[in-house]
Structures are given as structure tokens and as C-alpha cells.
């Protein structure tokens, strides 16, 4: 039988428990009662912090504060712990203090290791990435090409072929569907159409991720090989977030003994200035810190004393910021005969994945894996900054296929010492090393039935003799070694370049190619160039080129050169000017080559029209000639209109002013003039970043009204936006001169109304009033009363209408 305790028993047990708790906790409670709170003005190393800190003083006189409070005062507490945990100042390494009770002041002496560094982002206050905007629309880029040939036995021109390269995309806030293809015909074949890529792309800006479905290209580190797939790709895309710095830029750090002004010079150019308080500091994201060089930090105190520190740096895009994670993954089926057949896909699923992680600012870890079609491959690699002198890369991959193992080792190093730059890399394969590029290439060879003569129209040339195509071993080369050196020459304004490439391919002789180049600048802009190469392998090939280039005025350039190889000698004369970005610009290129075995002449002239780029070219070789013409442009459907313009590769805007002949500017650079409908297509916008579009109001009609002349937009990748500037070409408006009942102009600053629309009276009683009709009544709020005035209005298309004086009474 269970005995139940009585009410008295339970009361005695509870009382006894309370007595034991009080007995145990009493010393701590007494100690807490003895500790008193203090609010003290804090000075660190003789300088005020500008803060009053909260402390507690125990019965034995020791001071303590929470970790959060100390960090707020610029004091770094030892170890780690909860923000509200109490830390005793006495005995803290690197810190001493003196409590001045009469003045309620705490003087702290702390070393740099006990100070919280002043952390500065040289970019200033970085706002979060703005949400990109895209409207719904359609773009078709096209390149139409046609050519005619004349031969010695047939001196008249005859059609030889034509083609059209098409790039269409349908974009919206929900993603982009893109389709590319080629349509072509020559005299010996019927018209052919080849589908290239069909892809749906969606990017999520907040998470910086991009998803692609359709025809994709796998990605990976430098020591892997890509393949074409039909399937799905998911990857990190930091291009969506311009506010995130991915490169591991150097951080400049030091300590200031007094209030100081800091200037940072990168390669002798001042890029950043800032006032610093006393104590340690660190400055991140300094402008200009890329590649290699030297940064000089100049500290200048109030007395003008300077301390200069040189800090060499070396960085590159292969190094990630500490803590950043970059990845990509693809899954699908291999695509064969790309650009030859529209749709040939494998039947076995393939997988590809890569990742990079910034372990520290000087060490990035890499990983890569492939699987499918009986292949398993995995590899790891790393990139590290070697004492700010260069980047060292090391990677290894192992594969398993058909019961056989293989191994690949990759090593690379790049550096810059003064004005000398050096890069070197080596790849070695052992055993039966294979990757997906090899496996899919083998399958493509087995499936390939395409004959070269059926596809000759692709390069708009005469059909070639039918014959078997040489098939090379698709396996990776056994070894590839590269060394490249750049340095200044003996003479002023000269440079020397040296390179060496060694390859060993299965079934082929080894290749040892050495290349040397020398450039000497003569005068202001004339340059002499000498380039020589030699293959030291079994082929024993060699060649030498010497040339002289000079400006022709504007952006034009001319050059003359001579070449000598085992095939003979030749001389070449070139003249060219690139096509500008403004409508109406003209570009050209001319070449004349004379050799012992062959002579060749060609030329082309191009111009940029409001609707695209037009080019006419011609060439002549021994016994034949060719004339060709091409036009490249785009058609965009957006905002209820269809617009023709230059090629649109990325984001674009359609500027709608409602008025023809208005100049439009992109980042203060004139890009064109609105057409007869008052619209202009502006290509070349930078996606996910602010783009400033403006119009020239001086080209508007004198009686036009415009709400704004400048607007900023952040477009999405390959999307389009419509920008309406609210130009009212012939508004129902006038300048009305208003007088009071005394016959004098109403004073400036007084407000009036036309219906619900307000206006302000300016000097001499003149007011600009919009929304007028044939008969109008306005009211004016005078200081002592309200008056009204009526007047008639008749619009004018060419002049600003002025009415009055009108009496307000």
C-alpha cells in the first residue's frame, strides 16, 4: 500500500528546500548586493571615446563590464562568450586602468591587441542591390549575309551563297526563353535550317542564383573541360549582385598613434583618403587593388608628420572572398553534332558539378565531379596567395571508366615582380584518365554520319572535295606545359614577351613551340613589332614577322609588315578604322598581301544606321574574286510598339519622348535621336546596375512640357524596359499675367488654382498655367482675401501663348 504525504508534510519539505537554497546562494547574493553600478566617462590611451560606459564595482574594488559594453567602447575582451557575459578588467592581458572616482572617469591604457580596429569599407556606404526591372517583350537579332563569286573563266558575278544567323528571345519578369539558329543556302544545295540553342533562363537576384533549362554548356574550374548538354543547370551567379565583392582584395591594416589623416596610393595614384582615430585600423575594398602592385599608406598627423608604409599585394579573380561559396551543377544528356544537326542527344544521363569556397582571404578550395555513361570522376584543387608575390594553383582528379583508373595533376603559378610578369602551368595525365568530354566525343564519332560537303554553305564558300574527315584521339593530352614571360626591353618604351608551349598528344609527335616578341614605341604613337616562333619538335617549323603600325588620324590605324616562313615570304599592308557607336559613324578595313605563292586583297566598309550595321566587302585572290554584303540589326517588340535598331545582346531600353528628333544620352554619351514616332532603342545597358538615360530638352518644341529629362533604371540581364519621359509636345498651357484690382502685378510667391490644379505666380505677376480650355476661371489666394479672374485661351503650335494682363478681383 502506498502512503500519501499529508499537507503538513509537504509544507515542511518546501520550507526545508527554501532554507537549503538560501544557505547555498547567500554568498553570491551578498556579493551581488555589495557590487555597485557605475556610469563612467571612458578615455582610452588618453583620448576620449565620446561614450559613458556602464560598469559594476565589486566589494573588493574590481571593475567589470559586459562583453557587449566593452566592444562598444572599442575594447576587445579576451576569448569568446555571450554578449551579456560579465568580464573583469583586472588582470586582463594588454590592459590597465585607473578609476578617478571624484570625476567619475575611467582611464584605460590598452595595446593594439586589446583595441577593436576601426574597420573601413573604401566603397563607403554600400546600398543593397536594387531590384532589377524588366518588362515583357520580344527581341530578334539577325545577321543577313550574301555573296557572289567571279572566276577567271567566268568573269561575271554569280550567286554563291547566303545565310541568316538568328537570335530570338522572349523576356518577362518570369524569365527568358531564347532560341538561336542558322538558315542558309548555296548554289549546290537546298535551303537548310539548323537549330542551335533553345534555353529557358530564370535568375533570382536576392539569392544570386540562375537556373537554365534546355541546351546548356557545363562549367568547371580551369583544370576541367566543358561539354554541351540538353538538360538543367543550377548555379551561383554573383553577377546579379553588384554590391557583393567576390575577389579576395587585400585589406590594409595598421595602427595610428594619434588622430591621423590616411592617404592610400596604389601604383603611385591616390585612390582613397580618410581621417582615422587613435588605434588600430583596417581598410577593405581599396579602389585599384587588382592584379599585382604596391600600395603605399601615408599617415599624416596634426603636426604634419608623415609615416609611409609600402604594402605589396597580389590578387586575382580565382581567389574568393573569405566565406563566399560559388557553385554550379548540370544534369542532362550529351548533345552531338552541334551546329551541324539540329537535335542529336545521347540516351545516358550525365552529371557535372563544381564548387569553390573562400576558406581564407588567401586560400580558395575547389572541387569538381563528373558522372555518367560509365564514367566516375572526382577532383579537388586549391588556389593560394604566396606571400603576396603570386598565386599558386594545385589540383588533382581521378577517373574510373571501363574498370580502369586514371589520374590528372595540374599545377600553375603566376606572379609579377616589378615590371616582370610570369605565368606557368603544367598538366600531366597518368593511366587511363578520361573525362565526360572524352566519353561523349567517342560516342559522337560513332554516331556521326554528317558529310562535310553537305554543310559547305555554313562558311559561305565553294563546296570542297568530298572525302573522309581526319578523326583525332579525343582523350586529353598526356601533358601540356606553358610558360609565359613579359618584361621591359633594353630601350625605353619597349617590351619583350617570351613563351613556350609543350604538348604530348596520343598518336601524334611531341610539340615544342617557342615564341618571342619585341615591341618598341617610336615617337608618340608609332610602334615597331617583331614576332618569331619555332616548333622544335619533329615538324621543325618556324616563322618571323616584322611590322610597323601608325595612326591615320582619329581612330584609324595603318600598318606594314613582312613575314617569312618555310612556305616562303610575304608582305602585308593594312589600314583600318573601327566602327563607332554613334549612328552615322563609318568604319573600314583594307588589306593587301603579296607573296611568292599567293596574293590576296580584300576590303570592307561599314556604317551604323538607326536600324543596324551595314557592311559591304570584297576580296580578290589569284583567278577569282568575291563580293559580299551583310546587315546586322534587331527587331524589338515591347510596350505596344515594334522597333528596329542595332543588335541587342544584353539589356536595352526603348526611350519614348512622344516627340521626334530629340537627342538621347546614355551615361552622358549621345546614342541617337528619336524617330518619327518619338522613340529610340538604346542597346548596351549594363544589367543589374544603374543606367542613367537622359534627353536634350533644347531639341523639344518651344511650347512643349517635359516632366523630367533624366531617369535611372536597373535592368535585368537580356531584358528590356520602356522609359517614358512624359513629353507633352503641344500642351494646353500659357503664361498668364495677373494684376490685382489696383492695376498692379500680383506679388511673386502667391498661389492660385485652376480647378484642382495649383500654380505659383512669379515676378511681374506672370504665372505658367496648364490644363487650359477655351474659357477659364482661376482663383488667387491673396493675403487679405481671395480674387478671381477669367480669360479665354487659344493654343499655338509654334509659340508660347502669353495672356494678359488679366485683372483678378
Amino acid at each position: 500500500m502506498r502512503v500519501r504525504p499529508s499537507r503538513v508534510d509537504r509544507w515542511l519539505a518546501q520550507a526545508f528546500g527554501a532554507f537549503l537554497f538560501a544557505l547555498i546562494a547567500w554568498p553570491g547574493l551578498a556579493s551581488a548586493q555589495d557590487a555597485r553600478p557605475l556610469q563612467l566617462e571612458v578615455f582610452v590611451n588618453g583620448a576620449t571615446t565620446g561614450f559613458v560606459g556602464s560598469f559594476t564595482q565589486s566589494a573588493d574594488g574590481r571593475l567589470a563590464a559586459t562583453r557587449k559594453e566593452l566592444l562598444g567602447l572599442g575594447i576587445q575582451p579576451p576569448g569568446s562568450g555571450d554578449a551579456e557575459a560579465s568580464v573583469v578588467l583586472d588582470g586582463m592581458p594588454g590592459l590597465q586602468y585607473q578609476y578617478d572616482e571624484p570625476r567619475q572617469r575611467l582611464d584605460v591604457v590598452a595595446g593594439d591587441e586589446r583595441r577593436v580596429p576601426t574597420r573601413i569599407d573604401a566603397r563607403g556606404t554600400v546600398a543593397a542591390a536594387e531590384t532589377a526591372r524588366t518588362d515583357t517583350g520580344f527581341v530578334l537579332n539577325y545577321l543577313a549575309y550574301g555573296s557572289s563569286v567571279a572566276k577567271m573563266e567566268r568573269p561575271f558575278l554569280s550567286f554563291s551563297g547566303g545565310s541568316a544567323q538568328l537570335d530570338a528571345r522572349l523576356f518577362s519578369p518570369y524569365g527568358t526563353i531564347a532560341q538561336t539558329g542558322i538558315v542558309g543556302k548555296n548554289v549546290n544545295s537546298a535551303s537548310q535550317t539548323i537549330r542551335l540553342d533553345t534555353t529557358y533562363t530564370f535568375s533570382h537576384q536576392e539569392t544570386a542564383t540562375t537556373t537554365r533549362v534546355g541546351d546548356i554548356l557545363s562549367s568547371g574550374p580551369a583544370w576541367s573541360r566543358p561539354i554541351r548538354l540538353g538538360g538543367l543547370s543550377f548555379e551561383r551567379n554573383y553577377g546579379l549582385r553588384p554590391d557583393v565583392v567576390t575577389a579576395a582584395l587585400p585589406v590594409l591594416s595598421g595602427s595610428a598613434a594619434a588622430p591621423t589623416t590616411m592617404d592610400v596610393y596604389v601604383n603611385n595614384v591616390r585612390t582613397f583618403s580618410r581621417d582615422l582615430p587613435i588605434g588600430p585600423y583596417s581598410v577593405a575594398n581599396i579602389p585599384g587593388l587588382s592584379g599585382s602592385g604596391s600600395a603605399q599608406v601615408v599617415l599624416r598627423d596634426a603636426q604634419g608628420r608623415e609615416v609611409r608604409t609600402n604594402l605589396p599585394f597580389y590578387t586575382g579573380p580565382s581567389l574568393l572572398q573569405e566565406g563566399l561559396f560559388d557553385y554550379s551543377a548540370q544534369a542532362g544528356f550529351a548533345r552531338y553534332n552541334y551546329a551541324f544537326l539540329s537535335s542529336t542527344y545521347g540516351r545516358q544521363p550525365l552529371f557535372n558539378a563544381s564548387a569553390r569556397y573562400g576558406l581564407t582571404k588567401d586560400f580558395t578550395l575547389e572541387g569538381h565531379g563528373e558522372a555518367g555513361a560509365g564514367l566516375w570522376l572526382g577532383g579537388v584543387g586549391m588556389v593560394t596567395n604566396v606571400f603576396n608575390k603570386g598565386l599558386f594553383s594545385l589540383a588533382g582528379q581521378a577517373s574510373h571508366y571501363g574498370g580502369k583508373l586514371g589520374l590528372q595533376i595540374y599545377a600553375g603559378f603566376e606572379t609579377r615582380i616589378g615590371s616582370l610578369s610570369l605565368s606557368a602551368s603544367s598538366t600531366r595525365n597518368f593511366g587511363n584518365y578520361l573525362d565526360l568530354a572524352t566519353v561523349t566525343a567517342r560516342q559522337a564519332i560513332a554516331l556521326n554520319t554528317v558529310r562535310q560537303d553537305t554543310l559547305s554553305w555554313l562558311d559561305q564558300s565553294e563546296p570542297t572535295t568530298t572525302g573522309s574527315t581526319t578523326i583525332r584521339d579525343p582523350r586529353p593530352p598526356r601533358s601540356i606545359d606553358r610558360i609565359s614571360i613579359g618584361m621591359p626591353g633594353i630601350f625605353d618604351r619597349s617590351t619583350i614577351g617570351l613563351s613556350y608551349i609543350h604538348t604530348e598528344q596520343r598518336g601524334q609527335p611531341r610539340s615544342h613551340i617557342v615564341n618571342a616578341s619585341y615591341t618598341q614605341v617610336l615617337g608618340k604613337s608609332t610602334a615597331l613589332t617583331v614576332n618569331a616562333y619555332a616548333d622544335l619538335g619533329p615538324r621543325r617549323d618556324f616563322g618571323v614577322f616584322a611590322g610597323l603600325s601608325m595612326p591615320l588620324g582619329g581612330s584609324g590605324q595603318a600598318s606594314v609588315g613582312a613575314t617569312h616562313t618555310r612556305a616562303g615570304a610575304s608582305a602585308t599592308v593594312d589600314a583600318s578604322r573601327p566602327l563607332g557607336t554613334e549612328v552615322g559613324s563609318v568604319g573600314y578595313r583594307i588589306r593587301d598581301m603579296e607573296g611568292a605563292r599567293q596574293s590576296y586583297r580584300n576590303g570592307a566598309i561599314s556604317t551604323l544606321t538607326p536600324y543596324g550595321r551595314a557592311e559591304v566587302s570584297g576580296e580578290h585572290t589569284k583567278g577569282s574574286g568575291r563580293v559580299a554584303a551583310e546587315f546586322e540589326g534587331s527587331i524589338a517588340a515591347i510596350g505596344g510598339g515594334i522597333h528596329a535598331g542595332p543588335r541587342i545582346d544584353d539589356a536595352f531600353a526603348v526611350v519614348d519622348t512622344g516627340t521626334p528628333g530629340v537627342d538621347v544620352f546614355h551615361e552622358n554619351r549621345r546614342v541617337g535621336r528619336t524617330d518619327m514616332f518619338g522613340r529610340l532603342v538604346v542597346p548596351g545597358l549594363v544589367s543589374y546596375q544603374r543606367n542613367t538615360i537622359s534627353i536634350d530638352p533644347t531639341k523639344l518644341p518651344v511650347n512643349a512640357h517635359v516632366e523630367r529629362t533624366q531617369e535611372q533604371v536597373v535592368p535585368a540581364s537580356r531584358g528590356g524596359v520602356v522609359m517614358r519621359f512624359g513629353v507633352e509636345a503641344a500642351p494646353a498651357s500659357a503664361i498668364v499675367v495677373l494684376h490685382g484690382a489696383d492695376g498692379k502685378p500680383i506679388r511673386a510667391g502667391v498661389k492660385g488654382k485652376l480647378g484642382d490644379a495649383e500654380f505659383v505666380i512669379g515676378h511681374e505677376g506672370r504665372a505658367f498655367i496648364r490644363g487650359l480650355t477655351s474659357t477659364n476661371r482661376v482663383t488667387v489666394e491673396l493675403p487679405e482675401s481671395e480674387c478671381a479672374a477669367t480669360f479665354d485661351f487659344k493654343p499655338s503650335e509654334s509659340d508660347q501663348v502669353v495672356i494678359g494682363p488679366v485683372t483678378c478681383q
Side-chain angles (χ1 to χ4, degrees):
M1 179 181 293
R2 185 178 178 182
V3 180
R4 299 181 61 183
S6 66
R7 182 177 299 178
V8 176
D9 294 335
R10 289 196 298 269
W11 182 84
L12 290 173
Q14 293 173 359
F16 182 71
F19 171 76
L20 290 178
F21 175 78
L23 186 65
I24 295 172
W26 178 255
L29 294 174
S31 176
Q33 291 175 355
D34 291 340
R36 58 172 181 157
L38 299 175
Q39 300 294 321
L40 307 177
E41 184 181 6
V42 181
F43 287 73
V44 178
N45 295 343
T48 180
T49 61
F51 296 101
V52 173
S54 297
F55 299 86
T56 58
Q57 187 180 37
S58 61
D60 57 4
R62 296 189 301 170
L63 292 183
T66 63
R67 297 181 64 86
K68 179 180 178 181
E69 187 73 17
L70 292 175
L71 288 172
L73 295 171
I75 301 172
Q76 180 68 55
S80 60
D82 187 76
E84 299 300 329
S86 182
V87 178
V88 178
L89 272 61
D90 297 74
M92 185 184 298
L95 182 140
Q96 297 177 350
Y97 72 89
Q98 182 177 356
Y99 170 38
D100 188 343
E101 186 171 7
R103 294 194 293 176
Q104 289 296 288
R105 166 174 166 170
L106 183 69
D107 288 286
V108 177
V109 178
D112 287 346
E113 74 279 5
R114 198 52 63 205
R115 298 289 306 277
V116 176
T118 301
R119 292 182 172 87
I120 302 169
D121 191 330
R123 296 178 299 169
T125 302
V126 181
E130 298 184 47
T131 302
R133 166 193 163 192
T134 185
D135 298 334
T136 300
F138 173 81
V139 167
L140 172 64
N141 290 314
Y142 61 89
L143 172 60
Y145 175 93
S147 65
S148 297
V149 174
K151 293 188 176 181
M152 187 174 295
E153 62 273 14
R154 293 180 302 165
F156 55 90
L157 289 173
S158 60
F159 173 76
S160 63
S163 68
Q165 299 179 20
L166 305 176
D167 176 5
R169 64 181 184 267
L170 176 65
F171 55 88
S172 73
Y174 306 101
T176 301
I177 300 175
Q179 173 68 68
T180 59
I182 303 175
V183 179
K185 185 184 186 307
N186 66 14
V187 294
N188 296 316
S189 67
S191 299
Q192 299 185 32
T193 301
I194 295 180
R195 182 186 67 86
L196 295 178
D197 294 304
T198 305
T199 309
Y200 166 75
T201 303
F202 177 78
S203 295
H204 192 269
Q205 191 176 3
E206 185 176 350
T207 59
T209 56
T210 295
T211 302
R212 294 184 176 89
V213 181
D215 296 302
I216 57 178
L217 188 67
S218 68
S219 59
W223 33 274
S224 65
R225 300 197 297 177
I227 60 172
R228 291 191 177 274
L229 298 170
L232 171 69
S233 173
F234 183 73
E235 61 188 28
R236 177 79 75 188
N237 184 1
Y238 285 114
L240 306 175
R241 297 290 303 273
D243 58 319
V244 177
V245 178
T246 60
L249 299 180
V251 177
L252 305 183
S253 58
S255 180
T260 301
T261 298
M262 178 182 66
D263 294 322
V264 179
Y265 294 81
V266 178
N267 297 327
N268 297 322
V269 177
R270 189 173 71 173
T271 60
F272 181 72
S273 294
R274 174 69 182 265
D275 292 334
L276 294 176
I278 297 175
Y281 64 84
S282 64
V283 185
N285 300 318
I286 293 290
L289 287 184
S290 61
S292 64
S294 176
Q296 186 180 66
V297 180
V298 180
L299 301 180
R300 188 178 296 105
D301 62 17
Q303 285 73 39
R305 293 173 296 188
E306 289 186 358
V307 177
R308 295 176 177 262
T309 305
N310 287 318
L311 302 172
F313 63 86
Y314 198 99
T315 186
S318 55
L319 276 178
L320 282 179
Q321 281 274 19
E322 182 176 354
L324 279 188
F325 183 52
D326 188 15
Y327 60 86
S328 67
Q330 296 83 34
F333 302 90
R335 183 172 184 182
Y336 306 122
N337 299 317
Y338 180 80
F340 290 97
L341 293 178
S342 294
S343 299
T344 306
Y345 295 92
R347 297 181 179 180
Q348 297 174 303
L350 307 177
F351 304 92
N352 180 90
S354 300
R356 296 192 302 151
Y357 180 71
L359 203 60
T360 69
K361 66 181 182 66
D362 293 324
F363 191 95
T364 296
L365 189 64
E366 300 178 324
H368 179 69
E370 301 175 7
L375 172 78
W376 295 92
L377 181 147
V380 294
M382 62 89 173
V383 181
T384 183
N385 188 342
V386 183
F387 306 114
N388 282 325
K389 299 297 184 182
L391 298 182
F392 174 69
S393 304
L394 181 65
Q397 295 190 103
S399 69
H400 180 271
Y401 181 78
K404 297 181 180 180
L405 296 175
L407 178 66
Q408 181 186 77
I409 302 296
Y410 169 84
F413 181 72
E414 60 180 72
T415 186
R416 186 178 182 92
I417 303 173
S419 55
L420 184 145
S421 60
L422 169 68
S423 63
S425 66
S426 179
T427 304
R428 290 286 189 276
N429 295 323
F430 305 94
N432 191 44
Y433 173 77
L434 301 176
D435 55 7
L436 282 182
T438 308
V439 175
T440 56
R442 284 181 171 180
Q443 295 177 351
I445 293 172
L447 294 173
N448 189 12
T449 58
V450 179
R451 297 168 61 91
Q452 184 180 358
D453 58 324
T454 64
L455 299 171
S456 58
W457 58 268
L458 284 172
D459 57 2
Q460 296 87 37
S461 61
E462 290 293 298
T464 57
T465 303
T466 303
S468 61
T469 302
T470 302
I471 299 177
R472 296 185 177 181
D473 193 328
R475 289 177 294 179
R478 288 192 178 276
S479 62
I480 302 177
D481 302 311
R482 296 185 178 94
I483 300 176
S484 177
I485 300 174
M487 56 186 174
I490 301 175
F491 304 104
D492 186 31
R493 303 173 70 190
S494 64
T495 57
I496 296 175
L498 301 171
S499 65
Y500 168 76
I501 301 177
H502 161 258
T503 57
E504 182 181 351
Q505 185 76 37
R506 293 175 175 88
Q508 296 184 25
R510 294 184 179 182
S511 174
H512 301 269
I513 299 177
V514 179
N515 186 82
S517 63
Y518 176 80
T519 302
Q520 176 70 60
V521 178
L522 307 173
K524 293 184 177 180
S525 51
T526 301
L528 170 67
T529 301
V530 179
N531 188 36
Y533 76 91
D535 188 345
L536 305 180
R539 295 191 181 98
R540 296 294 177 183
D541 194 11
F542 71 92
V544 178
F545 168 81
L548 192 67
S549 62
M550 63 204 76
L552 286 179
S555 57
Q557 188 175 26
S559 64
V560 294
T563 304
H564 180 73
T565 65
R566 293 183 62 180
S570 63
T572 305
V573 177
D574 288 284
S576 64
R577 184 174 75 178
L579 186 65
T581 58
E582 290 191 7
V583 173
S585 61
V586 177
Y588 62 85
R589 64 179 186 275
I590 302 171
R591 165 166 286 197
D592 186 353
M593 186 187 74
E594 295 290 343
R597 300 184 180 182
Q598 183 183 17
S599 63
Y600 175 81
R601 296 178 180 85
N602 74 351
I605 184 170
S606 59
T607 183
L608 188 63
T609 75
Y611 307 104
R613 176 184 63 86
E615 180 176 299
V616 178
S617 62
E619 64 179 53
H620 178 269
T621 58
K622 188 176 182 180
S624 67
R626 178 191 301 272
V627 176
E630 64 180 52
F631 191 89
E632 184 178 34
S634 68
I635 298 174
I638 186 174
I642 300 177
H643 317 277
R647 181 179 178 88
I648 303 173
D649 288 313
D650 196 5
F652 73 100
V654 174
V655 175
D656 187 355
T657 65
T659 303
V662 178
D663 288 335
V664 180
F665 298 83
H666 176 211
E667 303 296 344
N668 296 322
R669 177 179 59 86
R670 183 181 180 275
V671 291
R673 182 172 292 176
T674 56
D675 59 16
M676 58 184 298
F677 303 104
R679 298 172 178 173
L680 178 70
V681 177
V682 181
L685 269 61
V686 182
S687 56
Y688 301 105
Q689 296 190 29
R690 285 187 180 182
N691 294 259
T692 301
I693 305 295
S694 58
I695 62 175
D696 183 3
T698 63
K699 298 297 178 68
L700 296 174
V702 65
N703 62 343
H705 173 75
V706 57
E707 295 180 359
R708 58 192 178 279
T709 61
Q710 179 175 296
E711 188 174 344
Q712 291 183 332
V713 64
V714 179
S717 176
R718 305 196 74 196
V721 295
V722 178
M723 304 180 70
R724 294 184 172 90
F725 281 83
V727 177
E728 192 175 351
S733 61
I735 295 177
V736 181
V737 182
L738 295 170
H739 285 190
D742 57 0
K744 296 181 180 179
I746 298 177
R747 66 181 180 85
V750 174
K751 295 182 178 180
K753 283 187 176 182
L754 173 65
D756 293 331
E758 291 188 351
F759 60 87
V760 179
I761 299 176
H763 294 289
E764 299 178 353
R766 300 168 71 90
F768 180 74
I769 306 176
R770 300 180 61 201
L772 299 176
T773 59
S774 58
T775 302
N776 305 273
R777 182 178 186 274
V778 297
T779 57
V780 178
E781 300 176 1
L782 298 174
E784 62 281 357
S785 63
E786 182 179 88
C787 67
T790 59
F791 55 89
D792 296 332
F793 167 73
K794 183 178 181 180
S796 173
E797 296 184 358
S798 57
D799 300 317
Q800 177 68 67
V801 178
V802 180
I803 301 175
V806 177
T807 302
C808 185
Q809 55 187 2

